[in-house]
Amino acid sequence: MTTTAPETEVLAAVFDAAVAADERIEPRDWMPDAYRATLVRQIAQHAHSEIIGMQPEANWITRAPSLRRKAILMAKVQDEAGHGLYLYSAAETLGTGRDELLDKLHAGRQRYSSIFNYPTLTWADVGAIGWLVDGAAITNQVPLCRCSYGPYARAMVRICKEESFHQRQGYELLLTLSRGTEAQHAMAQDAVDRWWWPSLMMFGPPDDESAHSAQSMAWKIKRHSNDELRQRFVDICVPQAESLGLTLPDPDLRWNEARGHYDFGAIDWDEFHEVLRGNGPCNDQRIGQRRTAHENGAWVREAAAAHAAKHGKATA
Ligand code: FAQ
C-alpha cells in the first residue's frame, strides 16, 4: 500500500509515540523502512548464529564422555536449531522469507556471530561455550525481551530461558573438570583461556565504532550499548571464575572501586575484524558445512513442497 507524504507523517508520528510509550510494534503496524531493515539485519544475523553455532558443539556429540553428557549436549544443540527457527519466523513477519535469508548467508552477504569461527579442540570447550558463550548471549539477549518489535521480543523470552539452562550446564561441566584430575583442571583452564577474549568480542565493536547502536537504541531495538553489556558480562564472570577455581586470562582485570566495575584489558579488535572479514580459524569450514547441509536437505524441501501441493489440491 502506498501512502501520501502527509499520511506518512501521521503514521510516523504514531510509530514514534508507540516507541516512546514502550508499546510493541506489531507486524501489521506501519514502521519506517529503515526500522524494518535494521530488524531483518539483526534478526537474520541472530538466526544464522544459532544455526551455525550448532556446529562447534555438535563436533563433540559422538565423543561426549558419558550417556548423561551426551543427552544434555544433544538437547542443547537441538535447542539452538529451535532458536534459529523462531528467529527466522520472526524475520518472516517483516516480509523476508527464510529461503532468502539462507541464500544470503550461504552467499556471504549476511553475518553470523564471530564467536562460531573458533574451533572446539577439547571436551572442555563444550563447557567453556556453555559458560561463556551462552553467558554472553544471555547478557545480550535478556534486554532484547523488551525489544520494541513484538515478535522478536516474544521469541527472545523462550530463547533466554533455554540459554539459561545452557549456561548452567556449561558451568557445571567446567566445575566438574576443574575439581577433577590435574589434567582435567588444565583442560578446563586452557578452554577458558581460548574462549574468554572471543566471548568479549561477541558484544560487537566498541560504542564509538558501533555503526548501528545509536539508532537501534533510539528505536528501542537495543536497550543497552555494546560496551555496557560487555562490562556487565565481565562483572558477572569474575566471581563465577573464582567459584570455578579458574582464572580469566587478563592481567589487567581488577576491581575498580570508583567505577563500581571490573577494569579489563584491551581487546584485540584487529582479530575481531579479521574474523568478520572471513579470516578466522574456522570461517571456511563453518560456511562450507552449512552449504553442504543445505544441499543435502534439498530432498526434504522438495518432499514438503510436493506434499503441500498435493494437500492443497485435495482440500481445494
Ligand atoms: N560477530 O553497529 P554494530 C547465540 C557486526 S548468541 C559478527 O555494533 P549491531 C547463542 C554488525 O552486524 C550470538 N558481526 O551492530 C548460541 C555490524 O555489521 P553490518 C548471536 C558482528 O547490530 C550460544 C557491524 O559489526 N547473538 O548465537 C558482531 O548494532 C551457543 C557493526 O556493529 C545475536 O546476534 C559479532 N560479534 O550490534 C548459539 C544477538 N558484532 O550488519 C550456539 C542479537 C557486531 O553493518 C551456541 N544481535 N557485528 O554488516 C545483537 O544484539 C547485535 O546485532 C550485536 C551487534 C550486539 C551483535
Side-chain angles (χ1 to χ4, degrees), residues 118-223:
Y118 292 85
T120 40
L121 302 179
T122 70
W123 170 250
D125 288 24
V126 172
I129 291 181
W131 177 44
L132 294 173
V133 176
D134 286 280
I138 297 168
T139 309
N140 169 272
Q141 291 166 22
V142 165
L144 292 175
C145 298
R146 293 188 297 116
C147 168
S148 56
Y149 186 59
Y152 189 32
R154 288 189 288 274
M156 291 319 302
V157 173
R158 178 161 170 187
I159 290 175
C160 284
K161 284 184 185 159
E162 293 177 350
E163 301 290 23
S164 299
F165 148 67
H166 297 170
Q167 193 270 356
R168 191 68 206 160
Q169 71 82 36
Y171 181 90
E172 193 263 346
L173 196 166
L174 279 183
L175 188 63
T176 306
L177 288 177
S178 179
R179 290 180 177 171
T181 64
E182 212 173 293
Q184 286 171 324
H185 181 88
M187 193 193 284
Q189 183 61 59
D190 170 63
V192 169
D193 288 348
R194 284 181 290 106
W195 287 91
W196 172 248
W197 290 106
S199 298
L200 295 190
M201 295 175 197
M202 284 175 72
F203 294 91
D207 290 352
D208 55 1
E209 289 171 26
S210 167
H212 306 291
S213 279
Q215 182 59 75
S216 288
M217 286 168 70
W219 277 328
K220 297 185 180 170
I221 294 173
K222 284 166 83 162
R223 295 284 182 158

Side-chain angles (χ1 to χ4, degrees), residues 38 41-43 45-54 56-57 76 80 83 109 111-116 129-130 133-138 140-141 144 152 156 159 163 166 198 201-206 209-214 216 222 226 229 272-273 275-276:
T38 291
R41 182 186 59 78
Q42 178 166 327
I43 297 172
Q45 176 177 319
H46 195 167
H48 299 329
S49 303
E50 300 281 358
I51 299 298
I52 297 262
M54 295 167 72
E57 289 173 289
K76 180 181 190 297
E80 314 297 0
H83 298 175
R109 287 167 54 214
R111 297 187 188 284
Y112 60 89
S113 182
S114 50
I115 192 77
F116 300 117
I129 291 181
V133 176
D134 286 280
I138 297 168
N140 169 272
Q141 291 166 22
L144 292 175
Y152 189 32
M156 291 319 302
I159 290 175
E163 301 290 23
H166 297 170
M201 295 175 197
M202 284 175 72
F203 294 91
E209 289 171 26
S210 167
H212 306 291
S213 279
S216 288
K222 284 166 83 162
N226 299 354
L229 292 173
F272 173 75
H273 290 299
V275 173
L276 259 60

